[in-house]
Amino acid sequence: MLKIEHLTKKYGDKIAVDDLNLTVEDGQICAFIGHNGAGKTTTLKAIAGIMGFDNGKISINDIDIQHEPMKAKMQLAYLPDNPDLYEHLKGIEYLNFIADVFGLSVEERKKNIEEFANRLEIYKDLTEPISSYSHGMKQKIALVSALIHKPKLLLLDEPFVGLDPISSHQFKMILQELADNGATIFYSTHVLDVAEKICSHVAIIKQGKLIVHDTMENVKGMSSLEDIFLELENEEHN
Ligand code: ATP
């Protein structure tokens, strides 16, 4: 479970995230949506423990990210929107490095790498250097590295960008399976039709403030998520 209480983050005088409260329970897939600059990446980085914040508390399965960062980070995987990979490494070397970080046994890493790399159709490329990968292939290896320790909390910034339709479909199924097994999934996206299909919940952030958080069903009603989002955005401009 992810619990955010009164999260506030400023860059200088600018408030990027403003007193944000949000809980995502085990087994939920929650889409985090908002216009460019709304505060999504800032929030995700704060949860992942890679960006400090000015006020508030974030806990992952009751572990405080500020007080016990190592313990909290072992529970999660964070995939940034533009992941930095060690490009001089071969795919398999990179995945083994990540598996070492999380202390995975040889059997466990082999099983998880085979499963996720095959499903995302990158397995045969693992012996090649990452520098030779296309944009989509880099996204796939980053996704495999995020899944490799089957995290209890998966934090993803625009995870579908660059994926071909088959891998995108597989990744949606993987997310659903992880959630069915009790993982908590919180991801930012601008692809509202995908979010509408796979997310149990949706959180909408606007100028750093959380303006909506509910089940997908309650938020969109008989409309589409896109229509609801556009309505909320327009309310501000009127
Ligand atoms: P996008 O959808 O474009 O990725 P976002 O919702 O992820 O946007 P953030 O990257 O969290 O938005 O940015 C929130 C606000 O904080 C924006 O106004 C942005 O200009 C500002 N901001 C982000 N990073 C910095 C930084 N390093 N220094 C100063 N301001 C920043």
Side-chain angles (χ1 to χ4, degrees):
M1 183 183 79
L2 163 67
K3 191 167 185 189
I4 307 173
E5 296 166 271
H6 302 291
L7 176 67
T8 298
K9 166 70 187 174
K10 294 180 197 161
Y11 296 106
D13 289 339
K14 185 179 171 54
I15 303 179
V17 180
D18 192 357
D19 196 28
L20 187 143
N21 292 284
L22 175 72
T23 298
V24 187
E25 304 279 354
D26 295 350
Q28 294 182 353
I29 306 179
C30 182
F32 194 31
I33 65 176
H35 60 273
N36 293 131
K40 302 179 297 297
T41 299
T42 303
T43 304
L44 288 170
K45 283 183 176 172
I47 302 167
I50 57 170
M51 179 181 279
F53 40 92
D54 298 280
N55 194 27
K57 180 179 171 184
I58 297 173
S59 38
I60 294 141
N61 295 328
D62 296 321
I63 305 164
D64 189 313
I65 190 72
Q66 284 181 309
H67 293 152
E68 295 184 275
M70 285 297 283
K71 200 170 163 197
K73 285 179 189 178
M74 292 303 278
Q75 313 259 322
L76 66 84
Y78 166 60
L79 184 75
D81 55 352
N82 218 341
D84 277 330
L85 301 165
Y86 297 118
E87 302 229 353
H88 61 287
L89 295 179
K90 292 175 182 162
I92 190 68
E93 291 171 337
Y94 180 70
L95 293 177
N96 273 315
F97 166 68
I98 300 294
D100 285 343
V101 169
F102 285 98
L104 297 189
S105 68
V106 173
E107 295 76 36
E108 203 178 355
R109 71 180 66 184
K110 189 169 178 291
K111 180 171 158 287
N112 293 348
I113 290 171
E114 272 180 17
E115 178 187 346
F116 295 122
N118 271 317
R119 289 180 70 177
L120 295 174
E121 300 190 317
I122 189 78
Y123 192 76
K124 68 174 176 30
D125 303 297
L126 293 182
T127 50
E128 300 299 325
I130 294 175
S131 56
S132 70
Y133 287 7
S134 68
H135 174 67
M137 289 161 78
K138 286 178 185 167
Q139 181 67 1
K140 289 179 184 184
I141 192 103
L143 287 174
V144 176
S145 75
L147 297 166
I148 200 169
H149 66 295
K150 297 213 168 161
K152 295 201 174 79
L153 170 64
L154 201 46
L155 300 167
L156 308 163
D157 207 342
E158 286 286 353
F160 291 98
V161 170
L163 293 185
D164 59 62
I166 292 172
S167 305
S168 179
H169 176 69
Q170 272 301 325
F171 188 59
K172 285 178 217 164
M173 294 209 299
I174 290 170
L175 290 182
Q176 194 58 66
E177 288 163 19
L178 290 173
D180 289 345
N181 285 319
T184 306
I185 298 165
F186 186 49
Y187 83 95
S188 79
T189 186
H190 295 297
V191 190
L192 303 186
D193 53 344
V194 172
E196 192 173 326
K197 286 196 189 101
I198 67 167
C199 294
S200 58
H201 289 70
V202 58
I204 303 180
I205 186 171
K206 187 170 177 177
Q207 293 168 356
K209 288 188 196 300
L210 193 72
I211 54 165
V212 170
H213 176 224
D214 206 337
T215 62
M216 185 62 77
E217 215 179 342
N218 284 347
V219 171
K220 73 184 187 70
M222 301 300 283
S223 307
S224 69
L225 184 57
E226 186 179 37
D227 287 342
I228 299 296
F229 182 70
L230 292 175
E231 259 175 47
L232 289 165
E233 284 300 306
N234 285 335
E235 270 174 20
E236 174 76 2
H237 295 125
N238 292 336

